[in-house]
Amino acid sequence: MRSIRALAVASEIYPIIKTGGLADVVGALPVALNAEGIEVRTIVPGFPDVMQALGTAEEVLYYPNLHGGNARLLSGSCGELDIFVIDAPHLYKRLGNPYVAPDGKDWPDNGIRFAALGRVAADIGLGAVPSFVPDVVHAHDWQAGLTHAYLHFSERRRPATVMTIHNLAYQGQFPREMLSATGLPLESFTIDGVEYYGTIGFLKAGLLFADRITTVSPTYAVEIQAPEAGMGLDGLLRARANQLSGILNGIDTSVWDPATDPNIASTFNSDDLDMRAANKVALQRRLSLRIAPDALLFGVISRLSWQKGLDLLLANLPTIVSNGTQIALLGSGDLDLESRYKAAAASKPDQISASIGYDEKLAHQIQAGVDALVVPSRFEPCGLTQLCALRYGAVAIVSRVGGLADTVIDADEAAIAGGKATGVQFGPVTVENLAGAIWRAGALFNDKPVWRSIQKTGMTVDVSWRNSAGRYADLYRQIVKTRANSS
């Protein structure tokens, strides 16, 4: 079977630039797909971190005017990743967060910045780089959504297309007055085009024009077809239900491997879990928590937001610390949540640690050192932290939504007896139900043989990309064949 060429389109890619789980997926999936006979190149904007990581590169396209300035398309590599980079300083040469200005607000020209990403990706899809003409163009999240609109309205023979939703809450809506600047035709601004509640809808366009839609877990694929989780796009998703599927994310198990991880105090595997204790003490020491090997230590690695349910955990802190339990939190986001967690840590520094920001090394140390990882999301397309927790023997405490429900098996009596339990689920997502899940986790923690069994079972779960990469490869081959037969 011949190799298929796929162009991935995304705004971030690990390890080059990362603000969240999108980057992890975009960085790991191409490597996994290579084993399936899929040749992937990923196009990303030339943010400063990307330009610095690129090193030697070849100019393959030149744009004398890409939305307001000269630009080049560069081809190069970073480690195992083959990438295209849009070198457009007028759009992307800005320090800090790729989406947000120093004042904390979105860059006012984000619509044009990511329209440029879609336009150049579409050009590659239409053959502008003869050395790499893709069979499939796979766009990730709203930043890449206009790619499929540009391909559609080119009215030229185009490759097969896929649109992946990583989080439906972020949709990319911009004023209709921007349409002429995007270069899309006037007739594109209709309900059967890019128009979305009177705005230009980047994600809506991607969902409408893609041959297939995927999202990052089977349960989330069902949830987003209902008004409660559909975020205004449920009608479109129901209409395209036959083209929508959920494929679970994986993690890069070469990066997240407790047996070889250089970031942790003591490496271990499921056969020598006693070695995990050294990581707990090292974490307590680093975070200035009381050195207490027998205390239940919870971890949180998350964006601090309403979606992630971290306000519910805050409400439970008084009860948690009254039982001698400790919490190690790493994250950033909502300023009010940040300040409240910092205040909680200041009031009980020997039991609560709040590290605001992101620290990749500390994230590994938390996974290796905590007893349980808490993920109380109100909705969660897939979630990656609970997958890392399973890999590292941290028992996952999760809400029964989206990918959390798909990846963690609740430790009820039957699951424990059958050796299937990997964590604790709760729902509906309320303060009281989270409190109940925390209480259950405490009771399980006190039953050492059962707790050890849950840890070991979690560590045997295949959280790699192997199975999911196979599903993507099958999807690519199916839609490439369908498009070939229809042309």
Side-chain angles (χ1 to χ4, degrees):
M1 186 175 293
R2 78 174 183 89
S3 175
I4 285 178
R5 286 181 164 182
L7 177 70
V9 190
S11 56
E12 52 187 87
I13 181 169
Y14 179 84
I16 303 171
I17 184 165
K18 172 180 174 176
T19 68
L22 169 65
D24 291 309
V25 174
V26 174
L29 184 54
V31 178
L33 283 169
N34 185 59
E36 300 289 335
I38 309 294
E39 179 188 350
V40 181
R41 293 195 187 184
T42 306
I43 180 171
V44 291
F47 301 121
D49 288 348
V50 176
M51 298 302 298
Q52 183 176 352
L54 182 60
T56 303
E58 174 191 3
E59 180 181 314
V60 292
L61 281 179
Y62 177 74
Y63 289 85
N65 182 15
L66 180 66
H67 299 310
N70 298 340
R72 303 181 300 159
L73 180 67
L74 305 177
S75 176
S77 62
C78 181
E80 297 181 85
L81 299 169
D82 294 320
I83 57 176
F84 289 119
V85 175
I86 305 172
D87 179 20
H90 61 290
L91 297 174
Y92 306 126
K93 191 176 181 181
R94 304 173 192 182
L95 296 177
N97 187 290
Y99 315 116
V100 178
D103 63 3
K105 299 179 180 179
D106 290 350
W107 291 107
D109 60 344
N110 270 353
I112 292 300
R113 298 171 79 216
F114 295 109
L117 173 63
R119 176 184 163 188
V120 178
D123 288 346
I124 298 171
L126 295 170
V129 180
S131 62
F132 186 84
V133 179
D135 303 290
V136 177
V137 174
H138 186 168
H140 293 268
D141 263 358
W142 75 261
Q143 295 91 345
L146 278 198
T147 303
H148 297 330
Y150 284 113
L151 287 169
H152 175 82
F153 288 104
S154 73
E155 297 183 349
R156 294 165 56 188
R157 182 178 178 179
R158 63 167 179 82
T161 52
V162 179
M163 184 76 218
T164 293
I165 305 164
H166 294 265
N167 191 334
L168 195 65
Y170 301 96
Q171 300 183 4
Q173 292 178 251
F174 297 94
R176 64 182 298 172
E177 291 76 19
M178 197 189 79
L179 185 69
S180 61
T182 68
L184 288 167
L186 183 62
E187 59 267 26
S188 69
F189 194 78
T190 69
I191 193 171
D192 296 319
V194 302
E195 188 272 333
Y196 182 57
Y197 292 100
T199 70
I200 302 170
F202 278 47
L203 182 59
K204 184 256 186 170
L207 299 177
L208 180 67
F209 294 122
D211 294 324
R212 288 293 297 269
I213 302 166
T214 70
T215 191
V216 290
S217 72
T219 294
Y220 192 60
V222 174
E223 290 174 343
I224 59 178
Q225 295 180 57
E228 295 78 14
M231 306 286 176
L233 287 165
D234 52 287
L236 173 57
L237 292 167
R238 287 194 301 274
R240 303 216 63 200
N242 290 338
Q243 291 80 42
L244 169 63
S245 58
I247 302 177
L248 273 174
N249 282 340
I251 59 173
D252 187 334
T253 51
S254 66
V255 173
W256 293 96
D257 184 354
T260 61
D261 194 334
N263 299 293
I264 64 179
S266 177
T267 56
F268 61 95
N269 58 40
S270 59
D271 293 326
D272 60 358
L273 270 172
D274 288 340
M275 300 297 292
R276 214 175 172 278
N279 293 296
K280 183 173 183 177
V281 171
L283 182 64
Q284 289 170 330
R285 184 173 291 114
R286 171 172 176 174
L287 300 178
S288 299
L289 297 171
R290 179 170 55 89
I291 306 300
D294 295 329
L296 175 56
L297 174 56
F298 290 128
V300 176
I301 304 171
S302 178
R303 186 173 69 253
L304 304 185
S305 68
W306 179 88
Q307 175 204 335
K308 299 295 185 178
L310 273 304
D311 55 316
L312 308 178
L313 184 61
L314 264 173
N316 277 289
L317 285 185
T319 301
I320 290 170
V321 297
S322 70
N323 295 327
T325 299
Q326 298 177 331
I327 291 187
L329 175 138
L330 171 62
S332 63
D334 181 87
L335 295 179
D336 179 61
L337 285 174
E338 288 184 6
S339 64
R340 290 169 67 190
Y341 271 105
K342 286 190 289 187
S347 69
K348 291 282 186 178
D350 61 335
Q351 289 182 265
I352 302 173
S353 170
S355 301
I356 303 302
Y358 192 76
D359 181 327
E360 188 76 16
K361 183 173 183 178
L362 179 55
H364 284 247
Q365 293 169 346
I366 289 174
Q367 295 285 13
V370 300
D371 298 300
L373 192 86
V374 186
V375 192
S377 303
R378 287 182 167 91
F379 66 93
E380 192 62 68
C382 180
L384 297 179
T385 56
Q386 86 279 6
L387 302 182
C388 298
L390 293 173
R391 178 86 164 147
Y392 278 65
V395 174
I397 303 172
V398 303
S399 51
R400 195 177 294 113
V401 297
L404 302 177
D406 290 335
T407 55
V408 175
I409 297 176
D410 184 61
D412 59 23
E413 289 187 12
I416 292 172
K420 302 294 186 182
T422 60
V424 175
Q425 289 189 3
F426 72 95
V429 186
T430 64
V431 170
E432 295 75 18
N433 288 337
L434 174 56
I438 289 170
W439 181 89
R440 286 178 59 208
L444 292 167
F445 180 73
N446 290 329
D447 189 335
K448 297 305 180 187
V450 168
W451 189 262
R452 180 61 59 93
S453 172
I454 296 171
Q455 288 179 294
K456 283 179 171 287
T457 302
M459 294 182 75
T460 66
V461 175
D462 184 358
V463 294
S464 74
W465 274 103
R466 184 173 57 88
N467 292 330
S468 295
R471 290 194 60 193
Y472 273 114
D474 290 343
L475 174 63
Y476 288 176
R477 292 190 176 99
Q478 177 188 356
I479 61 176
V480 167
K481 182 178 180 180
T482 299
R483 178 145 292 278
N485 291 339
S486 64
S487 60

